Amino acid sequence: MRSGAMDGLLNFLDFGAGVLALVSLSVTVLWGLAATDRMVLRSGHRLLAQAVHRGTGVAGLGFLGLHIWVKVTEGHTDAAAAAVPFTDGARPGLIGLGTLAAYVFIAVAVTGAVRGAFTGITASRWWRALHMSAYVAWGLALVHGLRAGRPAAGYALVGYAICLVAVAVRLALRMRDSRRNSGELP
């Protein structure tokens, strides 16, 4: 304690937990997209991709919880603002986006964990719609991460840009493949 190790850890977590959450959740989105690829991946590989998707999702939620705890503990926001979107005194919009994204990510994780409860055509459409809301939450988290705290370092901006481009490209490829498979394209 006297060596300052705890202070160093808290300083790292003050910035790093949020970045680790966003990176983990970005990887989760990418692996989720990969797990739906029927053109390249075989069934066993899709199962492996789903396992990685779930694992990185759990890690992302863990880092998200750590991020929230550190921000409340360090006094950057209060527990009420962390729990109720758009109620932070200093930055209600930006902190609110993070809170809202957290709730959507939690809802996506819960519906993913109980996917078996969504059987039947109508219920599976609801599950898919709920699960796809992760894209919106990811976008909100990206804006929150870039704007809510201190100005992002150059390497963080590059990392965020890489995440954004990777998800956009993979999502565009998935949409193209799904339209091609449904007969919308020649």
Side-chain angles (χ1 to χ4, degrees):
M1 290 295 209
R2 290 185 3 210
S3 69
M6 187 56 101
D7 288 339
L9 177 63
L10 282 177
N11 286 335
F12 167 75
L13 291 177
D14 188 23
F15 176 70
V19 172
L20 290 171
L22 185 64
V23 169
S24 295
L25 293 169
S26 296
V27 170
T28 301
V29 169
L30 289 169
W31 277 101
L33 286 165
T36 64
D37 187 333
R38 296 180 191 278
M39 304 271 299
V40 176
L41 298 180
R42 294 183 186 178
S43 180
H45 295 119
R46 285 196 313 272
L47 289 173
L48 179 61
Q50 289 172 6
V52 173
H53 170 70
R54 289 183 186 113
T56 57
V58 168
L61 289 176
F63 287 128
L64 179 60
L66 182 60
H67 170 67
I68 294 165
W69 177 79
V70 168
K71 293 301 181 182
V72 171
T73 301
E74 291 285 306
H76 297 292
T77 192
D78 59 20
V84 181
F86 309 109
T87 60
D88 184 73
R91 297 171 315 269
L94 292 170
I95 303 301
L97 289 178
T99 303
L100 194 59
Y103 282 132
V104 174
F105 280 130
I106 291 167
V108 167
V110 169
T111 59
V114 297
R115 184 177 182 183
F118 292 90
T119 56
I121 293 173
T122 303
S124 67
R125 286 184 182 149
W126 274 106
W127 177 85
R128 184 166 282 116
L130 287 168
H131 212 69
M132 290 175 87
S133 68
Y135 299 123
V136 175
W138 180 79
L140 296 175
L142 192 65
V143 171
H144 167 81
L146 284 170
R147 306 289 300 160
R150 62 183 160 208
Y155 70 89
L157 290 174
V158 170
Y160 283 22
I162 290 170
C163 290
L164 180 62
V165 169
V167 169
V169 166
R170 187 63 188 105
L171 186 57
L173 289 172
R174 178 169 183 231
M175 290 171 55
R176 184 195 68 183
D177 290 345
S178 66
R179 283 188 292 178
R180 186 174 285 157
N181 292 337
S182 70
E184 290 181 28
L185 296 176

